[in-house]
Amino acid sequence: MNIKRAKQEIKDTIAAYLQKDAYGGYVIPAIRQRPVLLIGPPGVGKTQIMEQIAQECQIGLAAYTITHHTRQSAIGLPMIERREYGGREYAVTEYTMSEIVGSVYERMEATGLKEGILFIDEINCVSETLAPVMLQFLQAKTFGTHRIPEGWVIVAAGNPPEYNKSVREFDIVTLDRIRRIDVEPDLAVWKEYAAAADIHPAVRDYVSVRPGNFCRIETTVDGRMFATPRGWEDLSQLIQVYESLGKRADRELIQEYIQFPGIAKDFANYLELYYKYKEDYQVDRVLAGEISEAAAERLGRAAFDERVSVTGLLLSGLNESFRKVGHLARELELRRERFKELQEAGVFADGGTGAGREAGVSADGGASAGQEAGVFTDGGAGAGRAAGISAGGGAGSGQAAATAFADMLERFQEERERRRESGLLSRMEYQRERGVAAALEADLQALRGMDLTSAGQAWELLRERFGADSDRYEALVDEAGAKLEHAFDFLEAAFGSGQEMTLFVTELNSGYYSVGFLKEYPCERYYQYNRDLLFSDEEQEIRDQLSRMG
């Protein structure tokens, strides 16, 4: 099973385990809620998806790497208590609160979340003294005498024995009380994730051309050599920061992340060629519409790796533009929601629901349509100029409106920080909400900087400021659309409708930001190549069926 399917399995499991009956009890009792055990090679994403699942399900997360614990920290320290049995007093052993169980209660208190995931990593690599404790934990959901709180789903992870000599095999009694999910690396799934996570295009292109080097672990006479998805992602982030500093990653640095000498050397050479192609073909100029016939002819005659790399460079430039469009659209939508909150509270008195193209931000939050709709990354209502703010204004106090706006902004920031501290915001969402807060702060300063005599004036000022940012959004859409058309121009000049064009369109179909952009932007050539690609796939499927019948 790939990591994407495993993630969905766990989300479905959480939904089932946390389902309650009419009396508020869990439909599946705790004793029947089998812990989920993920087994897979290192770096495949087992730990990473836990945070994503908690955020998407809006539940708590307490995570531990069990190899960092001793028996005492897991079950608690022994202490002597006095108890009476049959009329006689005895000294008995009790235990202090388990550190792990205690952390769950602390998490509940700190976040206010009564349900969540208790994630135990490297569970099959515990010491001999801790092994019985882990078996008890999986079988009875307790550490020593301390039970995991109801509403907390247990998920554990470990590596197969071929990757870790410390692995201890579970017996059948234990395995019969858990749900085991075996996870395997899947390049297609990782590329889908990589597009959304802004993995460096050189890394994405390299593993596409050398799929065998995406996740490779070998044991030789010289020791263990490995390249993992986690290694590629960490290396990607360093390369991006190096580029911003005017530096380049060399072979020695790459090998610190990709600890497989042959692969590290191969990628180092590929990265150098990547930079060379970017300079030789002037990709930024191509996307700006400066297309050289000589460059197109040269690319058409180039080797396969070079053609793939240049296609990847074009996609990288496009995705950066698509990303900016998508982020601004979502920021505008979140900002519009804050304006609507104030409208519904009566801050702007009788401000109605503008509907025209120049209106600004819609008060009723209705969805807009077409290119101006704006929000496509998260499927929300439109955020462009067509989304609208009503031009009408009430007769309330302008100062009171500014005060109400300041209170709204403070609540928004407090809620953002609360969700961040609770682990309910992803890094992308947090950065986006910080951008929204900065825009709202600028709105507030503009309100305070004017002598407003009525709430209607405040409303008009906000409408104008939002309209200016909506115009900026539309300009970004037009710019990204023009770049897409120029990319098609160049690729058609170089390859016609060959396999490179198929690769280009296929990547557009799977890219996180490109998919959202193309739902709104009418690019006729994209639709045409898509139809041709679909027809080719159907034709090949028919040929394969006929071949099997023959």
Side-chain angles (χ1 to χ4, degrees), residues 260-321:
F260 200 118
I263 297 177
K265 178 182 178 181
D266 193 41
F267 177 69
N269 294 336
Y270 189 91
L271 186 61
E272 284 301 314
L273 288 174
Y274 172 87
Y275 290 130
K276 181 178 184 297
Y277 298 150
K278 186 173 184 179
E279 183 176 338
D280 288 353
Y281 287 96
Q282 297 291 299
V283 171
D284 291 340
R285 291 187 180 181
V286 170
L287 294 176
E290 300 178 25
I291 297 175
S292 164
E293 291 185 10
E297 291 178 2
R298 173 188 168 186
L299 182 60
R301 298 191 303 269
F304 176 72
D305 284 8
E306 185 169 342
R307 299 198 302 269
V308 170
S309 294
V310 175
T311 302
L313 283 165
L314 291 169
L315 285 163
S316 175
L318 288 172
N319 280 321
E320 178 61 22
S321 294

Side-chain angles (χ1 to χ4, degrees), residues 435-452:
V436 173
L440 292 172
E441 182 66 38
D443 288 335
L444 178 60
Q445 294 307 316
L447 289 174
R448 287 173 170 171
M450 293 189 67
D451 184 18
L452 300 172

Side-chain angles (χ1 to χ4, degrees), residues 184-191 202-218 227-229 232 258 260 263 266-267 270 304-305 308 503 507:
E184 297 293 338
D186 187 312
L187 178 56
V189 168
W190 186 84
K191 286 178 63 178
V203 172
R204 298 203 307 265
D205 294 342
Y206 176 79
V207 296
S208 296
V209 174
R210 309 276 200 279
N213 293 343
F214 166 59
C215 186
R216 188 170 168 186
I217 303 173
E218 293 182 6
T228 69
W232 288 118
I258 308 302
F260 200 118
I263 297 177
D266 193 41
F267 177 69
Y270 189 91
F304 176 72
D305 284 8
V308 170
L503 170 65
E507 291 295 324

Side-chain angles (χ1 to χ4, degrees), residues 507-527:
E507 291 295 324
L508 288 176
N509 286 337
S510 60
Y512 178 78
Y513 296 109
S514 57
V515 167
F517 182 82
L518 288 163
K519 285 180 180 178
E520 301 295 334
Y521 184 81
C523 179
E524 182 54 39
R525 281 185 290 184
Y526 165 75
Y527 297 132

Side-chain angles (χ1 to χ4, degrees), residues 40-69:
V44 77
K46 301 185 297 296
T47 304
Q48 190 173 22
I49 63 170
M50 289 303 112
E51 190 173 291
Q52 297 171 10
I53 291 169
Q55 290 164 358
E56 292 170 19
C57 296
Q58 293 290 282
I59 57 177
L61 173 65
Y64 277 92
T65 300
I66 200 62
T67 52
H68 298 169
H69 282 267

